[in-house]
Structure formats: C-alpha cells, structure tokens
Amino acid sequence: MKVRLEADGGSRGNPGPAGYGAVVLTADRGSVLAEAKSAIGWATNNVAEYRGLIAGLAAAAGVGATEVDVYMDSKLVVEQMSGRWRVKHPDLAALYQQAREAARGFDRVDYTWIPREKNKHADGLANEAMDAAVESADSGGAHDPVVDDPPAKTEVVTNPAGWTGARGAPTRLLLLRHGQTELSVARRYSGRGNPALTDLGVRQAAAAARYLGEKGGIDAVLSSPLQRAYDTAAAAAKSLGRDVEIDDDLIETDFGDWEGLTFGEAAERDPALHRSWLRDTAVAPPGGESFDAVAARVRAAQHRIVDEHAGQTVLVVSHVTPIKSLLRMALDAGPGILYRLHLDLASLSIAEFYPDGAASVRLVNQTGYL
C-alpha cells in the first residue's frame, strides 16, 4: 500500500521546549490513516524534525504501508535522507541512522521538500506537542537534550477522522495461510486431517518468515493447532523472537466424510448435498461442519484476540476458511464473499479491528515474498 507521510518538528527557542507531529494519508490525500505527535523535552529544531520523521515512518508501518512518499519542510532532513547532504552534526547522526533503519522496513521511501504552508497538518500537530513541552518546562521539566532514545510516549491515533469514522488504535491481524501440503497439491479437501508441509511448503513458510521478520513490529503469534499451520507459524515466530500460542478456534473447517476427496469426488459421492453446500453456508458436509459454524467459532476467536491484544499487531496463522471468515467480518460482508475470495498458499492478508467496533481490510492475498 502506498501512503503519503507529512512530518514536522520544532522547538521554542532552538534549542528549547520541542515536539513533533506526523500524519499518514492515503496516496491521494483523501483520507487520514494515522497521526502521531509528542513533546520531546529540550531539543533543537533539527532534532525535532528527525523525531517527526521517525515517528511518522513507524505510524506508516502501523497501517500496513509498503511504499511511502515523505513530504517535509525541513530541507536539511530531506536532503540528508535523500543522500545528497552529509550528516555532520553528531547530535543528528544517531537520529539519521534510526530514520534510515525505519525506512528499510518499506519497499520504497522517497523524500520531497515542501514549503511550510503546504505542511499545515503536521505543523499543527507539532505545535500542539510544543505547547505540551512548554508546559512541562514551565512546571520544572528537565532541559536535557534529547538525542539517542525515541520519546517514551508518542500519541498515535490511527484513522482519527477518515471516511470510515473509526477511532482509536486498532488491533491489527496479519492473516497468514499455511504452506503447501500433499493434499493441497492434489486439490483435495483438507480440514481436520493433519498432513505435513511439503518441501515447497517449508520453503514458503521460510519465505514468509523472512518477510515478516524484516518488517517486525509483531506483538504475538497465534496458530491453528494443526501441524501445517503450526509449522508455518513456528518459522515466523523464530524470525520474530516470539513464541507460538495455539488457538483451537483457528482450526480449519471439518469436512467430515469429504476429507481427502477432490471437488469432483465429493460432488459424485453426494451430488445434491454438495450442490446445496456450495450455495448455503448453513449446510454441512456429511459428518462435518458448516461454514456458519466455522464463522461462529472464528468470531469468538476474533473477540478474544482483540480483547487480549488491544491495539497490538498479531500474526494469525490459519487456513482458508477461518481467514476468509475474518476478512468477511472486517468487511461486514455477506456469506457469498466466502466463495469469491481467493487465498493462495502462504499468502498474507491484513484486517484491523477498532475499539469502537469498526474494522477495515488493508491487504488481501499478498504473495510477493514467495
């Protein structure tokens, strides 16, 4: 996803009470995706400008951006980050490296200078932060320079006034389908059976793990109890330095007597039932589970995840139907969408669930890392 980042920072006195502000917008500037602002104590304008860039890049990563166009009214930061000016001041060297490291998490970041009058949104947020810094200084706050560590408390509001109306920081679910198994190669119904990953499936899991590890920012890893999902999750968890938590409600559909059959074999075995099953999510395979039943337990899992990981980013490794069900919930779509979504093996989708009950889908079926 391509976004526009506008960032600013300043101090009252240079050095003086300082703060920054940043806003992440859709590429067409039609919707605000996130805002960030913070007072940073006693610092120079240039330090505050770099702080704004770093916080803005973090906010862009938080909304799932892959490409970022940065716009700032700091000529120094834009030229240094573009590689055209050297970083000479020692106070800025560490911040420059932090910004460079943050930028590496995206496929592309470009920097453009704009005049201050075209950076009013970020400038307004920075001035609010500077007001808070002045109040802190007036109440006896320390006048120590802020250089090496990011501010302890950055106020980040995701999609504060976008067209969705959603407010607050969402719980972000990265929905990863497991890698290939022998049953998926043969295009057979694979529900509660427990086939292992093929050699290709192992490589797919490793590729997804590398991609997620490079992105970082994942607070927890949850997995279906089935081996193919767990092994995919374990590869990602290792790259992230996390443990895998099992959630039984993330298990695949129980296909009952159709387990291991191809589409054609199931249709031949139970022609009338198979036709009904393809049209009605309340219909279950013989001895199995309907898609409505899957949706009910996946909704329970979604509520539990949002309650336990409020405002965090969670990697959920599961199967086709549970992932489609989560996307359906986020889209507030009818059951027909289950038959229209396509999810490749080891693909990544992203859904966000907000504290006020709103939700959004940021990504569906990404496989570029494979």
Side-chain angles (χ1 to χ4, degrees):
M1 178 176 66
K2 181 179 177 180
V3 301
R4 177 185 177 105
L5 167 61
E6 298 172 5
D8 197 12
S11 72
R12 305 278 169 75
N14 196 30
Y20 64 72
V23 56
V24 181
L25 307 104
T26 53
D28 62 0
R29 302 192 75 198
S31 179
V32 174
L33 302 177
E35 291 178 346
K37 64 179 179 180
S38 180
I40 60 172
W42 197 264
T44 65
N45 287 333
N46 290 335
V47 166
E49 293 275 12
Y50 262 108
R51 291 291 197 208
L53 172 61
I54 293 166
L57 290 171
V63 300
T66 55
E67 299 182 10
V68 185
D69 290 319
V70 177
Y71 293 85
M72 300 181 68
D73 57 51
S74 170
K75 187 73 170 177
L76 178 134
V77 174
V78 167
E79 293 299 316
Q80 288 180 343
M81 291 302 297
S82 299
R84 292 186 289 268
W85 290 4
R86 292 176 57 193
V87 183
K88 299 179 181 179
H89 198 290
D91 286 354
L92 300 183
L95 294 172
Y96 169 78
Q97 291 301 328
Q98 287 181 38
R100 294 276 293 177
E101 184 63 30
R104 290 190 187 100
F106 302 94
D107 295 338
R108 179 188 61 80
V109 181
D110 289 334
Y111 301 89
T112 301
W113 177 84
I114 54 174
R116 183 171 297 277
E117 59 268 21
K118 292 188 176 181
N119 201 26
K120 290 182 178 179
H121 194 145
D123 179 70
L125 293 171
N127 273 285
E128 291 174 11
M130 280 185 276
D131 290 342
V134 170
E135 292 178 9
S136 176
D138 289 344
S139 64
H143 288 183
D144 295 328
V146 180
V147 177
D148 293 329
D149 298 322
K153 293 183 179 180
T154 300
E155 180 181 343
V156 179
V157 180
T158 304
N159 199 17
W163 62 270
T164 66
R167 292 182 177 273
T171 301
R172 189 165 178 242
L173 304 188
L174 307 185
L175 308 172
L176 179 64
R177 189 185 173 196
H178 62 79
Q180 185 193 75
T181 70
E182 290 294 347
L183 287 182
S184 54
V185 172
R187 301 181 67 83
R188 295 181 179 275
Y189 288 120
S190 181
R192 301 299 176 83
N194 215 10
L197 296 176
T198 62
D199 289 344
L200 175 58
V202 172
R203 294 196 297 273
Q204 289 172 333
R210 283 193 298 272
Y211 175 77
L212 293 167
E214 290 170 0
K215 291 292 183 182
I218 295 174
D219 300 293
V221 178
L222 304 183
S223 174
S224 154
L226 295 176
Q227 196 66 45
R228 58 192 184 273
Y230 181 84
D231 289 346
T232 304
K238 182 178 180 180
S239 72
L240 293 163
R242 300 287 180 185
D243 295 325
V244 179
E245 303 173 41
I246 298 298
D247 190 319
D248 290 337
D249 284 333
L250 297 174
I251 198 169
E252 179 60 294
T253 308
D254 185 349
F255 291 111
D257 295 343
W258 294 346
E259 180 73 22
L261 300 183
T262 65
F263 183 95
E265 289 169 346
E268 183 178 357
R269 181 186 187 279
D270 301 291
L273 180 61
H274 196 263
R275 284 194 299 270
S276 296
W277 177 73
L278 289 174
R279 295 192 303 265
D280 188 348
T281 55
V283 174
E289 180 184 31
S290 71
F291 288 148
D292 284 353
V294 176
R297 61 175 167 79
V298 171
R299 184 172 293 279
Q302 181 262 332
H303 287 163
R304 189 166 55 251
I305 294 168
V306 170
D307 286 343
E308 295 176 0
H309 300 280
Q312 295 184 334
T313 297
V314 181
L315 176 62
V316 174
V317 185
S318 188
H319 312 266
V320 167
T321 312
I323 293 175
K324 285 184 177 182
S325 298
L326 287 163
L327 293 171
R328 174 189 170 190
M329 292 172 200
L331 291 168
D332 194 23
I337 197 171
L338 297 177
Y339 305 105
R340 295 175 180 269
L341 283 172
H342 175 80
L343 299 176
D344 286 304
L345 292 161
S347 64
L348 181 68
S349 301
I350 300 176
E352 295 178 335
F353 297 90
Y354 290 80
D356 63 0
S360 64
V361 170
R362 296 288 185 188
L363 182 71
V364 176
N365 200 43
Q366 179 181 353
T367 58
Y369 45 80
L370 296 178

